[in-house]
Amino acid sequence: SVARIENAPVVDTAGVDRLKAAFEKAIAFTADKRVPGLRLKSPRITIGTLVIKPAKATSTNPGALYVNDTSAEDDYLGKIVGGKFIASRACTDAQRAKVLEFVAAPKAAAEAYGQETGTCCICNTELTSKWRLRGIGPVCVKKFGW
């Protein structure tokens, strides 16, 4: 509805720009066949049960970032577009707060998640040794430019 869009919380646009740049870098990295390493069909970042991924260029919302929750039956939580997080009705206040916190500092949130869980938030690989301390795996660091 119009009211829901008008009243949607404003997101940290600098954070959104950093996140979009990371996704674009990952897409370019994957497209470069000369670079060895894992290939990403669709780049995404997972923080707990939240997943943030860019809309495809051919979607109805090109340039948007979609947010889902893998633990819920109705997993679509909303989209980040036009400087706002437009949450679905299924999105709780706690989920909304987590999305806004993540978008404000995506690299820091990704690193904290990896350090806490021992899992890379991009490829879901177990992190070992120094990469556990960094919170993101070596290939994903290159792909996302972090």
Side-chain angles (χ1 to χ4, degrees), residues 27-140:
I27 290 167
F29 185 96
T30 297
D32 187 350
K33 304 293 185 209
R34 298 169 299 160
V35 180
L38 299 173
R39 300 282 176 225
L40 293 173
K41 285 184 179 180
S42 176
R44 63 188 66 230
I45 295 177
T46 304
I47 303 293
T49 61
L50 293 182
V51 176
I52 297 179
K53 59 187 174 188
K56 294 188 184 323
T58 57
S59 80
T60 56
N61 296 295
L65 298 174
Y66 290 122
V67 182
N68 296 75
D69 183 344
T70 59
S71 71
E73 191 172 309
D74 180 14
D75 70 344
Y76 176 71
L77 295 182
K79 63 186 172 190
I80 299 167
V81 66
K84 293 186 175 190
F85 174 51
I86 302 168
S88 71
R89 287 183 178 85
C91 186
T92 66
D93 289 342
Q95 289 167 321
R96 183 178 294 108
K98 191 169 185 177
V99 169
L100 295 174
E101 178 184 332
F102 173 77
V103 170
K107 181 182 178 210
E111 289 172 344
Y113 174 78
Q115 291 164 355
E116 181 182 313
T117 65
T119 303
C120 177
C121 70
I122 296 165
C123 67
N124 293 314
T125 300
E126 182 182 350
L127 298 171
T128 57
S129 65
K130 69 178 181 179
W131 297 105
R132 171 86 187 238
L133 297 175
R134 290 189 68 182
I136 301 172
V139 174
C140 294

Side-chain angles (χ1 to χ4, degrees), residues 1-39:
S1 74
V2 173
R4 192 174 80 200
I5 293 170
E6 288 176 357
N7 295 325
V10 173
V11 295
D12 180 315
T13 54
V16 170
D17 291 345
R18 286 189 297 272
L19 195 51
K20 284 183 177 183
F23 281 128
E24 288 169 10
K25 184 169 178 103
I27 290 167
F29 185 96
T30 297
D32 187 350
K33 304 293 185 209
R34 298 169 299 160
V35 180
L38 299 173
R39 300 282 176 225

